[in-house]
Amino acid sequence: MAELKGALIGCGFFAINQMHAWRDVKGASIVAICDRDPERLKIVGDQFGIERRYTDAAAMFADGGFDFVDIATTVASHHALVEMAASHKIPAICQKPFAKTLSDAKAMVAVCAEAGVPLMVHENFRWQTPIQAVKTALQSGVIGEPFWGRFSFRSGYDVFSGQPYLAEGERFIIEDLGIHTLDIARFVLGDVSSLTARTKRVNPKIKGEDVATILLDHESGATSIVDVSYASKLATEPFPETLIELDGTKGSIRLSQGYRLEVSAPDGVRVSDASPRLLPWASRPWHNIQESVLAIQQHWIDRLAYGGETSTSGADNLKTLALVEAAYESAANGYPIDIGAML
Ligand code: NAD
Ligand code: 89V
């Protein structure tokens, strides 16, 4: 199979991870990059040795010469760039949050489906080594049928220094971080039928909410809690670990701080280390996220090369985005939201 050629749009904070990971992905390489900011274009172009550089995505698509596009811009440009990719019949990966609204996201999924173009959302958290380990343990059946879960991300990490735009939006933690946690809840316990949420803003220097507590009814009958906070001052900072508790009819699973995985089953308790690898280009504490970037990008290339729908396709991601939108509506109005009615 010939190596697939990719183009990346958006050379900002997180794209550096994506560019490093593209170097490690088997079967693909990046041949062109685009950023409307010439300074960012130069930094990334020089760092990764990319000659083809554009400040205008339309000009890059017009020149062509690539098999897929990786959209690493912030959400405001996602709709237009995904449509541009579809109009050129170019398969697209798009960063989360995929769209500002669910109706926008539905239109983006539809335009790619009509064009017959594969579309994947870069929803990488479910690809983290510890999350995959939890899913594998659950699927082995040793804890029986899961009836309860908790997916928790509580931190006091200064996320605003790397991503200053996060302090400026009306919406913050659910849209930016909770979206990952909700996706993990879906990945582990299956799709959700209804949701109730409460939010708070603790940090007076930001506009949006920095704490959210969300109750999920899964279609399987299981109940779970997704709780996220950037206002939690803890003895040992856990960023960016997602902690998981699952209770099943025969046992339980606990993913606790430090990537400790404990599986309690009728035949005993097994404790293992579910730590991510520290890739040569990665740095702590981000290495968990960085490793998952490589995993999701490899998954995309494998699917492009050999066929099959991606785990976090645009269509799949509608179900995660619906939870985000429902959480804001429930928090604003106090009532539970029927998820099926939104899709
Ligand atoms: P950023 O602001 O640092 O970078 C975005 C870049 O895109 C900027 O350089 C900007 O000039 C460029 N850009 C914006 N619109 C453009 C357009 N139309 N054409 C060309 N260039 C354009 O943002 P970031 O922190 O790198 O975040 C980018 C995306 O990645 C966001 O959607 C964010 O939520 C997501 N993100 C994901 C993870 C993850 O783990 N999946 C982590 C961090 C950020
Ligand atoms: O996913 C994100 O966009 C990031 C982080 C992982 C830090 O929450 O903001």
Side-chain angles (χ1 to χ4, degrees):
M1 178 71 68
E3 184 159 274
L4 294 168
K5 297 188 178 83
L8 177 135
I9 310 176
C11 300
F13 168 77
F14 201 69
I16 301 294
N17 296 313
Q18 293 171 226
M19 289 297 291
H20 274 296
W22 283 123
R23 278 185 168 172
D24 289 354
V25 164
K26 291 183 181 59
S29 63
I30 295 297
V31 298
I33 55 171
C34 168
D35 198 298
R36 61 185 177 198
D37 176 351
E39 219 172 294
R40 290 303 309 171
L41 196 58
K42 180 168 168 34
I43 290 170
V44 173
D46 290 355
Q47 182 176 353
F48 294 93
I50 311 293
E51 296 303 327
R52 283 185 60 192
R53 302 175 189 183
Y54 296 84
T55 50
D56 176 20
M60 187 173 79
F61 276 108
D63 282 357
F66 48 90
D67 306 301
F68 69 92
V69 67
D70 186 7
I71 301 169
T73 61
T74 40
V75 68
S77 52
H78 289 176
H79 194 158
L81 292 172
V82 166
E83 276 188 350
M84 209 180 279
S87 72
H88 287 84
K89 304 261 186 237
I90 296 289
I93 315 174
C94 181
Q95 256 297 350
K96 53 58 65 178
F98 180 45
K100 205 64 196 160
T101 66
L102 186 59
S103 73
D104 250 20
K106 285 180 179 172
M108 292 154 75
V109 169
V111 81
C112 288
E114 277 156 29
V117 156
L119 169 68
M120 180 179 86
V121 178
H122 188 123
E123 179 43 81
N124 49 322
F125 270 40
R126 63 165 78 177
W127 284 98
Q128 291 173 7
T129 291
I131 308 301
Q132 293 279 328
V134 166
K135 174 90 172 188
T136 302
L138 180 62
Q139 278 178 329
S140 75
V142 292
I143 74 156
E145 273 307 303
F147 58 85
W148 180 87
R150 178 178 175 206
F151 303 89
S152 180
F153 186 110
R154 312 193 73 80
S155 168
Y157 188 80
D158 174 20
V159 77
F160 310 107
S161 59
Q163 296 164 270
Y165 57 89
L166 294 177
E168 290 152 19
E170 295 294 331
R171 292 177 169 188
F172 167 41
I173 200 168
I174 301 174
E175 184 179 82
D176 179 68
L177 184 276
I179 194 169
H180 294 304
T181 326
L182 289 164
D183 190 68
I184 291 171
R186 277 191 57 231
F187 176 62
V188 173
L189 287 179
D191 287 333
V192 173
S193 52
S194 99
L195 169 160
T196 307
R198 300 290 180 267
T199 57
K200 270 193 198 324
R201 179 169 60 85
V202 176
N203 181 349
K205 295 187 188 135
I206 66 170
K207 258 196 179 168
E209 83 292 348
D210 52 4
V211 179
T213 308
I214 306 171
L215 176 68
L216 304 174
D217 293 308
H218 293 264
E219 287 173 2
S220 65
T223 309
S224 76
I225 297 158
V226 163
D227 60 293
V228 290
S229 163
Y230 271 123
S232 300
K233 293 153 185 66
L234 298 158
T236 308
E237 174 53 55
F239 181 89
E241 291 183 50
T242 302
L243 310 184
I244 298 181
E245 297 173 44
L246 295 173
D247 289 356
T249 48
K250 292 192 212 159
S252 63
I253 296 174
R254 295 290 183 269
L255 175 63
S256 45
Q257 197 165 334
Y259 303 111
R260 180 182 186 274
L261 181 63
E262 181 185 283
V263 181
S264 304
D267 63 350
V269 180
R270 291 187 58 179
V271 176
S272 58
D273 179 3
S275 293
R277 286 175 299 160
L278 179 66
L279 295 171
W281 49 268
S283 54
R284 295 178 192 277
W286 285 83
H287 62 299
N288 183 26
I289 292 176
Q290 288 163 322
E291 189 197 30
S292 72
V293 168
L294 173 58
I296 195 172
Q297 290 180 188
Q298 185 66 63
H299 172 63
W300 166 254
I301 292 305
D302 292 345
R303 287 290 190 268
L304 271 193
Y306 304 111
E309 188 161 345
T310 52
S311 171
T312 58
S313 64
D316 178 84
N317 198 254
L318 295 179
K319 297 182 198 167
T320 294
L321 263 184
L323 302 185
V324 170
E325 203 155 284
Y328 283 111
E329 188 182 340
S330 176
N333 301 305
Y335 48 69
I337 309 290
D338 175 356
I339 303 302
M342 300 174 74
L343 291 165

Short mmCIF file of all heavy atoms in Angstrom, two decimals, residues 191-251:
data_model
loop_
_atom_site.label_atom_id
_atom_site.label_comp_id
_atom_site.label_asym_id
_atom_site.label_seq_id
_atom_site.Cartn_x
_atom_site.Cartn_y
_atom_site.Cartn_z
N ASP A 191 -24.40 3.84 24.78
CA ASP A 191 -25.12 5.09 24.51
C ASP A 191 -26.08 5.46 25.65
O ASP A 191 -26.45 4.63 26.47
CB ASP A 191 -25.83 4.99 23.16
CG ASP A 191 -24.81 5.09 22.02
OD1 ASP A 191 -23.76 5.71 22.24
OD2 ASP A 191 -25.06 4.52 20.96
N VAL A 192 -26.44 6.73 25.62
CA VAL A 192 -27.15 7.33 26.75
C VAL A 192 -28.57 7.70 26.32
O VAL A 192 -28.79 8.22 25.22
CB VAL A 192 -26.37 8.60 27.19
CG1 VAL A 192 -27.13 9.39 28.24
CG2 VAL A 192 -24.99 8.21 27.69
N SER A 193 -29.55 7.42 27.20
CA SER A 193 -30.94 7.76 26.86
C SER A 193 -31.37 9.08 27.50
O SER A 193 -32.15 9.83 26.91
CB SER A 193 -31.88 6.64 27.28
OG SER A 193 -31.65 6.31 28.64
N SER A 194 -30.87 9.37 28.69
CA SER A 194 -31.24 10.67 29.26
C SER A 194 -30.16 11.19 30.20
O SER A 194 -29.30 10.42 30.67
CB SER A 194 -32.62 10.58 29.95
OG SER A 194 -32.49 10.41 31.31
N LEU A 195 -30.20 12.49 30.45
CA LEU A 195 -29.09 13.16 31.16
C LEU A 195 -29.62 14.32 32.01
O LEU A 195 -30.55 15.02 31.61
CB LEU A 195 -28.14 13.66 30.07
CG LEU A 195 -27.00 14.62 30.33
CD1 LEU A 195 -26.00 14.53 29.21
CD2 LEU A 195 -27.48 16.05 30.48
N THR A 196 -29.00 14.49 33.17
CA THR A 196 -29.31 15.65 34.04
C THR A 196 -27.98 16.28 34.45
O THR A 196 -27.04 15.54 34.77
CB THR A 196 -30.06 15.20 35.31
OG1 THR A 196 -31.19 14.43 34.91
CG2 THR A 196 -30.54 16.40 36.13
N ALA A 197 -27.87 17.61 34.45
CA ALA A 197 -26.57 18.23 34.75
C ALA A 197 -26.71 19.44 35.67
O ALA A 197 -27.73 20.13 35.67
CB ALA A 197 -25.89 18.64 33.46
N ARG A 198 -25.64 19.68 36.41
CA ARG A 198 -25.51 20.90 37.22
C ARG A 198 -24.12 21.47 36.96
O ARG A 198 -23.15 20.71 36.87
CB ARG A 198 -25.65 20.57 38.71
CG ARG A 198 -27.00 19.96 39.10
CD ARG A 198 -28.14 20.96 39.00
NE ARG A 198 -29.42 20.37 39.38
CZ ARG A 198 -30.28 19.81 38.53
NH1 ARG A 198 -30.00 19.76 37.23
NH2 ARG A 198 -31.42 19.31 38.94
N THR A 199 -24.01 22.79 36.88
CA THR A 199 -22.69 23.41 36.62
C THR A 199 -22.44 24.55 37.61
O THR A 199 -23.37 25.07 38.24
CB THR A 199 -22.62 24.00 35.19
OG1 THR A 199 -23.67 24.94 35.04
CG2 THR A 199 -22.72 22.94 34.14
N LYS A 200 -21.16 24.94 37.68
CA LYS A 200 -20.75 26.08 38.52
C LYS A 200 -19.55 26.75 37.89
O LYS A 200 -18.77 26.09 37.19
CB LYS A 200 -20.26 25.58 39.88
CG LYS A 200 -21.32 25.45 40.92
CD LYS A 200 -20.70 25.26 42.30
CE LYS A 200 -21.70 24.70 43.29
NZ LYS A 200 -23.07 25.15 43.14
N ARG A 201 -19.40 28.03 38.17
CA ARG A 201 -18.13 28.71 37.85
C ARG A 201 -17.50 29.09 39.17
O ARG A 201 -18.09 29.86 39.94
CB ARG A 201 -18.36 29.95 36.98
CG ARG A 201 -17.03 30.66 36.68
CD ARG A 201 -17.18 31.74 35.62
NE ARG A 201 -18.14 32.77 36.00
CZ ARG A 201 -17.85 33.84 36.75
NH1 ARG A 201 -16.62 34.02 37.19
NH2 ARG A 201 -18.78 34.71 37.05
N VAL A 202 -16.32 28.56 39.46
CA VAL A 202 -15.61 28.87 40.71
C VAL A 202 -14.54 29.93 40.46
O VAL A 202 -14.39 30.87 41.23
CB VAL A 202 -14.98 27.57 41.30
CG1 VAL A 202 -14.17 27.89 42.55
CG2 VAL A 202 -16.09 26.56 41.63
N ASN A 203 -13.80 29.79 39.37
CA ASN A 203 -12.71 30.73 39.04
C ASN A 203 -13.31 32.04 38.49
O ASN A 203 -13.90 32.05 37.41
CB ASN A 203 -11.80 30.06 37.98
CG ASN A 203 -10.64 30.93 37.58
OD1 ASN A 203 -10.58 32.11 37.90
ND2 ASN A 203 -9.70 30.34 36.84
N PRO A 204 -13.15 33.16 39.23
CA PRO A 204 -13.79 34.41 38.79
C PRO A 204 -13.12 35.03 37.56
O PRO A 204 -13.68 35.95 36.95
CB PRO A 204 -13.63 35.33 40.01
CG PRO A 204 -12.45 34.79 40.76
CD PRO A 204 -12.39 33.32 40.48
N LYS A 205 -11.94 34.50 37.17
CA LYS A 205 -11.21 35.10 36.05
C LYS A 205 -11.63 34.55 34.69
O LYS A 205 -11.12 34.99 33.66
CB LYS A 205 -9.70 34.88 36.24
CG LYS A 205 -9.13 35.60 37.44
CD LYS A 205 -7.62 35.47 37.45
CE LYS A 205 -7.07 36.02 38.75
NZ LYS A 205 -6.06 35.15 39.33
N ILE A 206 -12.52 33.58 34.68
CA ILE A 206 -12.94 33.02 33.39
C ILE A 206 -14.43 33.27 33.20
O ILE A 206 -15.15 33.58 34.15
CB ILE A 206 -12.62 31.52 33.29
CG1 ILE A 206 -13.45 30.71 34.30
CG2 ILE A 206 -11.13 31.25 33.49
CD1 ILE A 206 -13.39 29.22 34.10
N LYS A 207 -14.89 33.10 31.94
CA LYS A 207 -16.29 33.40 31.64
C LYS A 207 -17.22 32.21 31.84
O LYS A 207 -18.35 32.35 32.27
CB LYS A 207 -16.38 33.84 30.17
CG LYS A 207 -16.50 35.32 29.95
CD LYS A 207 -16.97 35.55 28.54
CE LYS A 207 -17.15 37.01 28.23
NZ LYS A 207 -17.33 37.19 26.79
N GLY A 208 -16.73 31.04 31.46
CA GLY A 208 -17.62 29.87 31.44
C GLY A 208 -17.59 29.09 32.74
O GLY A 208 -16.92 29.46 33.71
N GLU A 209 -18.31 27.96 32.73
CA GLU A 209 -18.36 27.07 33.91
C GLU A 209 -17.08 26.26 34.00
O GLU A 209 -16.53 25.84 32.97
CB GLU A 209 -19.60 26.16 33.81
CG GLU A 209 -19.45 24.91 32.95
CD GLU A 209 -19.30 25.15 31.45
OE1 GLU A 209 -19.54 26.29 31.00
OE2 GLU A 209 -18.94 24.20 30.73
N ASP A 210 -16.57 26.06 35.23
CA ASP A 210 -15.37 25.23 35.38
C ASP A 210 -15.63 23.99 36.24
O ASP A 210 -14.69 23.25 36.57
CB ASP A 210 -14.16 26.03 35.89
CG ASP A 210 -14.44 26.84 37.15
OD1 ASP A 210 -15.56 26.73 37.68
OD2 ASP A 210 -13.55 27.58 37.59
N VAL A 211 -16.90 23.74 36.58
CA VAL A 211 -17.28 22.54 37.33
C VAL A 211 -18.60 22.03 36.75
O VAL A 211 -19.51 22.82 36.50
CB VAL A 211 -17.48 22.87 38.84
CG1 VAL A 211 -17.90 21.63 39.61
CG2 VAL A 211 -16.21 23.46 39.44
N ALA A 212 -18.68 20.72 36.55
CA ALA A 212 -19.95 20.15 36.07
C ALA A 212 -20.13 18.76 36.65
O ALA A 212 -19.18 17.99 36.78
CB ALA A 212 -19.98 20.08 34.55
N THR A 213 -21.38 18.46 37.02
CA THR A 213 -21.74 17.13 37.53
C THR A 213 -22.92 16.66 36.69
O THR A 213 -23.94 17.34 36.61
CB THR A 213 -22.13 17.21 39.02
OG1 THR A 213 -21.09 17.89 39.73
CG2 THR A 213 -22.33 15.82 39.61
N ILE A 214 -22.74 15.50 36.05
CA ILE A 214 -23.72 15.06 35.05
C ILE A 214 -24.14 13.62 35.37
O ILE A 214 -23.29 12.74 35.57
CB ILE A 214 -23.10 15.13 33.63
CG1 ILE A 214 -22.55 16.55 33.37
CG2 ILE A 214 -24.11 14.74 32.57
CD1 ILE A 214 -21.74 16.68 32.08
N LEU A 215 -25.45 13.40 35.43
CA LEU A 215 -26.00 12.07 35.70
C LEU A 215 -26.50 11.48 34.38
O LEU A 215 -27.32 12.12 33.69
CB LEU A 215 -27.15 12.19 36.71
CG LEU A 215 -27.91 10.92 37.05
CD1 LEU A 215 -27.04 9.94 37.82
CD2 LEU A 215 -29.15 11.26 37.88
N LEU A 216 -26.03 10.28 34.03
CA LEU A 216 -26.40 9.67 32.75
C LEU A 216 -27.20 8.39 32.97
O LEU A 216 -26.81 7.54 33.79
CB LEU A 216 -25.14 9.30 31.96
CG LEU A 216 -24.12 10.40 31.65
CD1 LEU A 216 -22.88 9.79 30.99
CD2 LEU A 216 -24.73 11.45 30.73
N ASP A 217 -28.29 8.23 32.22
CA ASP A 217 -28.99 6.93 32.14
C ASP A 217 -28.54 6.30 30.83
O ASP A 217 -28.80 6.86 29.75
CB ASP A 217 -30.51 7.13 32.09
CG ASP A 217 -31.04 7.70 33.39
OD1 ASP A 217 -30.73 7.11 34.44
OD2 ASP A 217 -31.74 8.73 33.35
N HIS A 218 -27.86 5.16 30.90
CA HIS A 218 -27.42 4.48 29.68
C HIS A 218 -28.53 3.58 29.15
O HIS A 218 -29.37 3.09 29.92
CB HIS A 218 -26.15 3.66 29.98
CG HIS A 218 -24.97 4.53 30.31
ND1 HIS A 218 -24.03 4.91 29.37
CD2 HIS A 218 -24.61 5.13 31.47
CE1 HIS A 218 -23.12 5.68 29.95
NE2 HIS A 218 -23.45 5.84 31.22
N GLU A 219 -28.52 3.36 27.83
CA GLU A 219 -29.55 2.51 27.22
C GLU A 219 -29.54 1.11 27.79
O GLU A 219 -30.56 0.43 27.82
CB GLU A 219 -29.36 2.48 25.69
CG GLU A 219 -29.76 3.80 25.04
CD GLU A 219 -29.42 3.88 23.56
OE1 GLU A 219 -28.90 2.88 23.00
OE2 GLU A 219 -29.67 4.95 22.97
N SER A 220 -28.36 0.66 28.28
CA SER A 220 -28.22 -0.68 28.88
C SER A 220 -28.96 -0.81 30.21
O SER A 220 -29.13 -1.91 30.72
CB SER A 220 -26.74 -0.96 29.13
OG SER A 220 -26.26 -0.04 30.11
N GLY A 221 -29.34 0.33 30.80
CA GLY A 221 -29.94 0.31 32.14
C GLY A 221 -28.95 0.76 33.21
O GLY A 221 -29.34 1.01 34.35
N ALA A 222 -27.66 0.85 32.85
CA ALA A 222 -26.66 1.32 33.82
C ALA A 222 -26.83 2.82 34.07
O ALA A 222 -27.35 3.55 33.22
CB ALA A 222 -25.25 1.05 33.28
N THR A 223 -26.39 3.25 35.25
CA THR A 223 -26.39 4.67 35.61
C THR A 223 -24.94 5.09 35.79
O THR A 223 -24.15 4.33 36.35
CB THR A 223 -27.10 4.88 36.96
OG1 THR A 223 -28.36 4.23 36.92
CG2 THR A 223 -27.30 6.36 37.26
N SER A 224 -24.61 6.30 35.32
CA SER A 224 -23.24 6.76 35.61
C SER A 224 -23.22 8.24 35.92
O SER A 224 -24.17 8.98 35.63
CB SER A 224 -22.29 6.44 34.44
OG SER A 224 -22.48 7.33 33.38
N ILE A 225 -22.10 8.64 36.51
CA ILE A 225 -21.86 10.05 36.82
C ILE A 225 -20.61 10.47 36.07
O ILE A 225 -19.58 9.78 36.12
CB ILE A 225 -21.63 10.25 38.33
CG1 ILE A 225 -22.88 9.85 39.11
CG2 ILE A 225 -21.24 11.69 38.64
CD1 ILE A 225 -22.58 9.52 40.55
N VAL A 226 -20.71 11.61 35.38
CA VAL A 226 -19.53 12.24 34.79
C VAL A 226 -19.31 13.52 35.60
O VAL A 226 -20.21 14.38 35.64
CB VAL A 226 -19.75 12.55 33.30
CG1 VAL A 226 -18.73 13.56 32.78
CG2 VAL A 226 -19.67 11.27 32.47
N ASP A 227 -18.18 13.61 36.29
CA ASP A 227 -17.92 14.84 37.05
C ASP A 227 -16.57 15.41 36.64
O ASP A 227 -15.57 14.70 36.59
CB ASP A 227 -18.02 14.62 38.56
CG ASP A 227 -17.04 13.58 39.09
OD1 ASP A 227 -17.19 12.40 38.76
OD2 ASP A 227 -16.11 13.98 39.83
N VAL A 228 -16.59 16.70 36.29
CA VAL A 228 -15.37 17.35 35.79
C VAL A 228 -15.19 18.68 36.50
O VAL A 228 -16.16 19.38 36.82
CB VAL A 228 -15.44 17.58 34.25
CG1 VAL A 228 -15.34 16.26 33.50
CG2 VAL A 228 -16.69 18.33 33.84
N SER A 229 -13.92 19.02 36.77
CA SER A 229 -13.65 20.26 37.48
C SER A 229 -12.24 20.73 37.17
O SER A 229 -11.31 19.92 37.12
CB SER A 229 -13.78 20.03 38.99
OG SER A 229 -13.16 21.07 39.72
N TYR A 230 -12.10 22.03 36.96
CA TYR A 230 -10.77 22.66 36.92
C TYR A 230 -10.60 23.57 38.13
O TYR A 230 -9.75 24.46 38.13
CB TYR A 230 -10.57 23.46 35.63
CG TYR A 230 -9.99 22.63 34.49
CD1 TYR A 230 -10.66 22.53 33.27
CD2 TYR A 230 -8.78 21.97 34.62
CE1 TYR A 230 -10.13 21.78 32.22
CE2 TYR A 230 -8.25 21.21 33.59
CZ TYR A 230 -8.93 21.12 32.40
OH TYR A 230 -8.39 20.38 31.37
N ALA A 231 -11.42 23.34 39.15
CA ALA A 231 -11.35 24.18 40.35
C ALA A 231 -11.00 23.36 41.58
O ALA A 231 -11.22 23.79 42.70
CB ALA A 231 -12.70 24.86 40.56
N SER A 232 -10.43 22.16 41.35
CA SER A 232 -10.16 21.25 42.46
C SER A 232 -8.68 21.30 42.84
O SER A 232 -7.82 20.91 42.05
CB SER A 232 -10.55 19.82 42.08
OG SER A 232 -11.93 19.79 41.77
N LYS A 233 -8.42 21.79 44.03
CA LYS A 233 -7.03 21.89 44.50
C LYS A 233 -6.72 20.65 45.32
O LYS A 233 -7.19 20.51 46.44
CB LYS A 233 -6.86 23.18 45.31
CG LYS A 233 -7.01 24.41 44.41
CD LYS A 233 -7.50 25.63 45.16
CE LYS A 233 -7.77 26.82 44.24
NZ LYS A 233 -8.89 26.63 43.28
N LEU A 234 -5.92 19.76 44.74
CA LEU A 234 -5.68 18.45 45.35
C LEU A 234 -4.23 18.32 45.78
O LEU A 234 -3.36 19.01 45.25
CB LEU A 234 -6.03 17.37 44.33
CG LEU A 234 -7.52 17.39 43.93
CD1 LEU A 234 -7.74 16.71 42.60
CD2 LEU A 234 -8.37 16.76 45.00
N ALA A 235 -3.98 17.41 46.72
CA ALA A 235 -2.62 17.23 47.25
C ALA A 235 -1.66 16.85 46.13
O ALA A 235 -0.54 17.37 46.03
CB ALA A 235 -2.63 16.17 48.34
N THR A 236 -2.07 15.91 45.28
CA THR A 236 -1.25 15.53 44.12
C THR A 236 -2.08 15.80 42.88
O THR A 236 -3.15 15.21 42.70
CB THR A 236 -0.90 14.02 44.19
OG1 THR A 236 -0.32 13.77 45.46
CG2 THR A 236 0.10 13.64 43.10
N GLU A 237 -1.59 16.70 42.04
CA GLU A 237 -2.35 17.13 40.85
C GLU A 237 -2.50 15.95 39.86
O GLU A 237 -1.49 15.41 39.40
CB GLU A 237 -1.61 18.31 40.19
CG GLU A 237 -2.20 18.77 38.87
CD GLU A 237 -3.68 19.09 38.94
OE1 GLU A 237 -4.10 19.91 39.76
OE2 GLU A 237 -4.44 18.50 38.14
N PRO A 238 -3.72 15.57 39.54
CA PRO A 238 -3.91 14.40 38.68
C PRO A 238 -3.95 14.70 37.17
O PRO A 238 -4.06 13.77 36.38
CB PRO A 238 -5.25 13.84 39.12
CG PRO A 238 -5.95 14.96 39.80
CD PRO A 238 -4.99 16.06 40.09
N PHE A 239 -3.87 15.95 36.75
CA PHE A 239 -4.00 16.29 35.33
C PHE A 239 -3.06 15.43 34.49
O PHE A 239 -1.87 15.32 34.84
CB PHE A 239 -3.67 17.77 35.10
CG PHE A 239 -3.79 18.21 33.67
CD1 PHE A 239 -4.99 18.67 33.17
CD2 PHE A 239 -2.68 18.15 32.81
CE1 PHE A 239 -5.09 19.08 31.83
CE2 PHE A 239 -2.79 18.55 31.49
CZ PHE A 239 -3.99 19.01 31.01
N PRO A 240 -3.46 14.89 33.39
CA PRO A 240 -4.80 14.88 32.80
C PRO A 240 -5.44 13.49 32.89
O PRO A 240 -5.91 12.96 31.89
CB PRO A 240 -4.51 15.23 31.35
CG PRO A 240 -3.19 14.52 31.08
CD PRO A 240 -2.47 14.38 32.41
N GLU A 241 -5.47 12.95 34.10
CA GLU A 241 -5.99 11.59 34.26
C GLU A 241 -7.52 11.59 34.42
O GLU A 241 -8.06 12.39 35.18
CB GLU A 241 -5.37 10.93 35.49
CG GLU A 241 -3.90 10.62 35.34
CD GLU A 241 -3.33 9.89 36.55
OE1 GLU A 241 -3.94 8.88 36.98
OE2 GLU A 241 -2.30 10.35 37.08
N THR A 242 -8.17 10.67 33.75
CA THR A 242 -9.59 10.40 33.97
C THR A 242 -9.65 9.19 34.90
O THR A 242 -9.05 8.15 34.61
CB THR A 242 -10.29 10.05 32.65
OG1 THR A 242 -10.12 11.13 31.73
CG2 THR A 242 -11.78 9.78 32.87
N LEU A 243 -10.33 9.34 36.02
CA LEU A 243 -10.45 8.24 36.98
C LEU A 243 -11.81 7.56 36.77
O LEU A 243 -12.80 8.24 36.49
CB LEU A 243 -10.31 8.76 38.41
CG LEU A 243 -9.08 9.66 38.65
CD1 LEU A 243 -8.98 10.05 40.13
CD2 LEU A 243 -7.79 9.00 38.19
N ILE A 244 -11.81 6.25 36.86
CA ILE A 244 -13.04 5.50 36.54
C ILE A 244 -13.37 4.52 37.65
O ILE A 244 -12.49 3.84 38.19
CB ILE A 244 -12.88 4.76 35.20
CG1 ILE A 244 -12.65 5.78 34.06
CG2 ILE A 244 -14.10 3.88 34.90
CD1 ILE A 244 -12.49 5.16 32.68
N GLU A 245 -14.66 4.45 37.98
CA GLU A 245 -15.17 3.42 38.90
C GLU A 245 -16.31 2.71 38.19
O GLU A 245 -17.20 3.38 37.63
CB GLU A 245 -15.71 4.07 40.18
CG GLU A 245 -14.67 4.82 40.98
CD GLU A 245 -15.30 5.59 42.14
OE1 GLU A 245 -16.18 5.04 42.83
OE2 GLU A 245 -14.93 6.75 42.33
N LEU A 246 -16.28 1.39 38.19
CA LEU A 246 -17.37 0.62 37.59
C LEU A 246 -17.77 -0.49 38.56
O LEU A 246 -16.90 -1.21 39.06
CB LEU A 246 -16.92 -0.04 36.28
CG LEU A 246 -16.56 0.86 35.09
CD1 LEU A 246 -15.98 0.03 33.96
CD2 LEU A 246 -17.77 1.65 34.61
N ASP A 247 -19.06 -0.62 38.82
CA ASP A 247 -19.55 -1.72 39.64
C ASP A 247 -20.37 -2.64 38.75
O ASP A 247 -21.27 -2.18 38.03
CB ASP A 247 -20.45 -1.20 40.78
CG ASP A 247 -19.64 -0.48 41.86
OD1 ASP A 247 -18.39 -0.45 41.75
OD2 ASP A 247 -20.27 0.05 42.79
N GLY A 248 -20.06 -3.93 38.79
CA GLY A 248 -20.80 -4.91 38.00
C GLY A 248 -21.44 -5.95 38.89
O GLY A 248 -21.19 -5.98 40.11
N THR A 249 -22.25 -6.83 38.30
CA THR A 249 -22.98 -7.83 39.09
C THR A 249 -22.05 -8.84 39.76
O THR A 249 -22.42 -9.47 40.75
CB THR A 249 -23.98 -8.58 38.18
OG1 THR A 249 -23.27 -8.99 36.99
CG2 THR A 249 -25.15 -7.70 37.78
N LYS A 250 -20.82 -8.99 39.23
CA LYS A 250 -19.90 -9.98 39.83
C LYS A 250 -18.65 -9.36 40.45
O LYS A 250 -17.87 -10.06 41.09
CB LYS A 250 -19.43 -10.96 38.76
CG LYS A 250 -20.50 -11.87 38.22
CD LYS A 250 -19.80 -12.96 37.42
CE LYS A 250 -20.63 -13.43 36.28
NZ LYS A 250 -19.83 -14.08 35.24
N GLY A 251 -18.39 -8.07 40.17
CA GLY A 251 -17.15 -7.47 40.67
C GLY A 251 -17.09 -5.99 40.36
O GLY A 251 -18.12 -5.35 40.09
#
